[in-house]
Structure formats: C-alpha cells, structure tokens
Amino acid sequence: MKQYLSILLASLALLSLTACGTKQIETQSSNSSTEVSSSKKEVKDTGQAHYQPVLDRYKNYLSALKAKNRPALQEELGKLGEFTGESELIYNFADSSRVPDLQYAFVDLNKDDQDELLVGEDDYLSAIYYLKDAQPELLHVAYVGSVGGGRSGLAIYDNGQVSYASGQSTKPEMTLKLYTFTKEGVKQDKEATYQIGGEETAEQILGISASQVDVAKFDWKDFEQETQSSSSTSTASESSATKAESTNATGMDINAIATGDFSSIAGTWERGTGDYPLTFDAKGLVDSDLMIRFGGIRDGLLTASIGTAEPNSAGTSGMFFLPAGVSLSDDPSVDSSDSSRDRIYVSPPTPVYPAEYFYYRVK
C-alpha cells in the first residue's frame, strides 16, 4: 500500500511539473508573439511614398540630359505648369557641359516622423523637398551658375534647421534665410544679409548655435535610370509632335514652341514701346544672345523666361506666349491687349500688363 501511494504521489508530481512546463512554454510563446506583433506595429509611415512624383521627374530629367534630348527635357519641365526653382536647376544642368550625378536621400530633419527629400551631388545639396498636406513642396534649389552670375547654397543643422544663401558673383553680399520644418510644412525663422569677407559668419548672423550636418553620412540612393532612355525620349518627342499636329497650324502653336519648334511664330515681332524687336526662325531667336527657358502650359498659354545664358541673372524677364483668344486676365484693366491676335508678352512681373509691352507679329 505504501508502495502504491509512493508511485501515485510521484506520478502526480510529474504531471504537475509537466503542466507547469507546458504553461511556461505557452506563456513564452504568447510573449514572443506579442513582441513580434509589437515590433510590426513600430514600423512607421514617414511619407516617402508621397515623393514618388518628384523622384519620377528627376529620373526623366536625367534620362533626357544623358541623351542630350532638349525637346524631351523641355516637355518634361513643361509638366510643372510654371517656371519654378526646379526648372532653374535642371536648365542650369542642361546649359553646362556635363550630366550631373544626382542622388536622393530621405531624412527626417526635425525628428517628427515625417521625412524630407534631399537631392544632391557628392556633398553638395541641390534641392530640399518637404510635405505639406501630404503633397511634396520645394523649399529651395541650390547651384553655381554654369556661366557665372547666380550662386546659392543649402546647409542643414543638427537641430533640424536649414539655411539658404543666394546672391550674384558680381555683388559683395548674399541673402540668408533660416527655416524650420513643422508638421504643417515649413516656417521661415529669419532673413538677413551677409557681407562676403565680413567679420561675422552666416551662422552668427542667423543666430545658429547648432552644428552643421555632414550630408555625406546620409543614405544616398541613385535615381533609377531608364534602360531604354533613347526610346523614352523618342516617345516624348513623338508625343510632342502629335500634340503640335492637333493645333491650328496657321496660328501660334504653343505645344510645338515648348519643344523648341518656333515655326508657327517665325518672323519679326514688335511691341508698342518700339524697342527690342524679336525675330524668330524655326529654331528660335535670330541674331540674339538671349535664351528662352520654358516653364509650362497652363490656361491655354505658354509660360517662359527670357534672359542671358545664366538662368538666375538680374536681366531675366518673364515671358508669355499667348495664342489668339487667350488673355492674361479677363479684366481689361489688367490685360488690354488685342486678344484676337497672337501675342508675346515680355516684362518683369507686375499686377497689370501694359498694352505697350505686348509683341505682335509685323512680318
């Protein structure tokens, strides 16, 4: 009997230990599952997908630059709808003799779980984009003019602030701006003037106590290049040609002009002021050192700028190509030009477009 009780007690103890072991394993397994689940929940959406249109544009820019296909480049820039800082940056590359080795990086500059997009080459920042209402916005571009003149630069600091400096090589001062990123977008903290060669540094003038970040340490990635770049640019050119054919061949064809075909406006154009006549042939301006850079087509007109080879020079003016029937404003007190005729408007930005600054073809 005693032997039987001993065996029974031993069996109960073994069952108890087995049960405890099973519970422990189940608990560990449960804890492990919870940890895996928690780690999955920690993956955050930092907004990188919202920048895809920007990445696609730069990929197309680089393909066109590599192929030296300016019409395709102009068509891609035309999709922006207006002449922007991005347009200036890309045209500056197009005017130089080399294809830039641009890369991009996603960085949460102000640690708010929302990434900013940086575009650069080597250790030089070329552009910074941020999100506003889930849409990518350009803060600034930076470049050294391919033919002198414009100079600009961007710097990032370890407190999340960004400084921007811009000026002309012919002037002894630069304009400085300091920015901070927020969940709502970006705010400008300060603007000041920096005297080149002066006693104070740009950081001292802007009141920056943080350290500048070495951008080379970021995780830079190459823009995906089109393997059929020649066919892509060819397709873009064919698309432009198709659009041009669908436009009235007897009048101003802004689709063709945007691709570098000026046939529809060939001839001499003059404005009411009597100065600075413009003469075009099929390829562009005749006997002129001026260069036309296109922004994009919107509201039936083509936006552009005209100036010297340096896109950011002081002599650059706004330019609009207006086919008959299109006006800069429905208000005749703002645009009193003859809208029954094709026109070209060239002048610095102004809230009112004086009639005498509109060009009409005279021959």
Side-chain angles (χ1 to χ4, degrees), residues 320-339:
F320 298 99
F321 293 86
L322 301 111
V326 177
S327 299
L328 289 170
S329 173
D330 293 332
D331 185 348
S333 66
V334 176
D335 177 359
S336 58
S337 64
D338 183 357
S339 61

Side-chain angles (χ1 to χ4, degrees), residues 271-325:
R271 62 182 181 180
T273 57
D275 56 355
Y276 305 117
L278 300 174
T279 301
F280 296 91
D281 61 15
K283 296 181 180 180
L285 287 169
V286 177
D287 297 328
S288 176
D289 294 329
L290 299 177
M291 181 177 292
I292 297 174
R293 292 178 174 82
F294 299 110
I297 295 175
R298 59 176 176 81
D299 301 327
L301 58 87
L302 174 61
T303 64
S305 67
I306 183 171
T308 60
E310 168 51 46
N312 199 32
S313 65
T316 300
S317 295
M319 190 175 196
F320 298 99
F321 293 86
L322 301 111

Side-chain angles (χ1 to χ4, degrees), residues 70 90-97 146-147 291 293 309-311:
R70 194 164 183 113
I90 301 304
Y91 271 124
N92 186 67
F93 288 135
D95 293 338
S96 67
S97 58
S146 59
V147 195
M291 181 177 292
R293 292 178 174 82
E310 168 51 46

Side-chain angles (χ1 to χ4, degrees), residues 181-233:
F181 292 101
T182 69
K183 273 291 187 182
E184 290 70 37
V186 67
K187 68 183 182 72
Q188 182 175 314
D189 297 322
K190 190 173 182 179
E191 180 173 346
T193 300
Y194 167 64
Q195 293 294 328
I196 298 175
E199 296 181 357
E200 289 187 296
T201 65
E203 285 78 8
Q204 289 174 330
I205 293 174
L206 291 174
I208 301 173
S209 57
S211 299
Q212 186 172 338
V213 175
D214 179 9
V215 298
K217 72 176 186 179
F218 295 143
D219 182 19
W220 293 94
K221 294 180 173 61
D222 292 327
F223 287 96
E224 180 186 355
Q225 295 295 310
E226 290 286 345
T227 54
Q228 300 90 10
S229 61
S230 58
S231 64
S232 298
T233 51

Side-chain angles (χ1 to χ4, degrees), residues 19-41:
C20 289
T22 302
K23 287 181 179 178
Q24 186 175 5
I25 290 171
E26 290 175 351
T27 302
Q28 289 175 346
S29 175
S30 176
N31 290 340
S32 176
S33 298
T34 302
E35 289 174 4
V36 172
S37 176
S38 298
S39 67
K40 288 182 178 178
K41 289 180 181 178

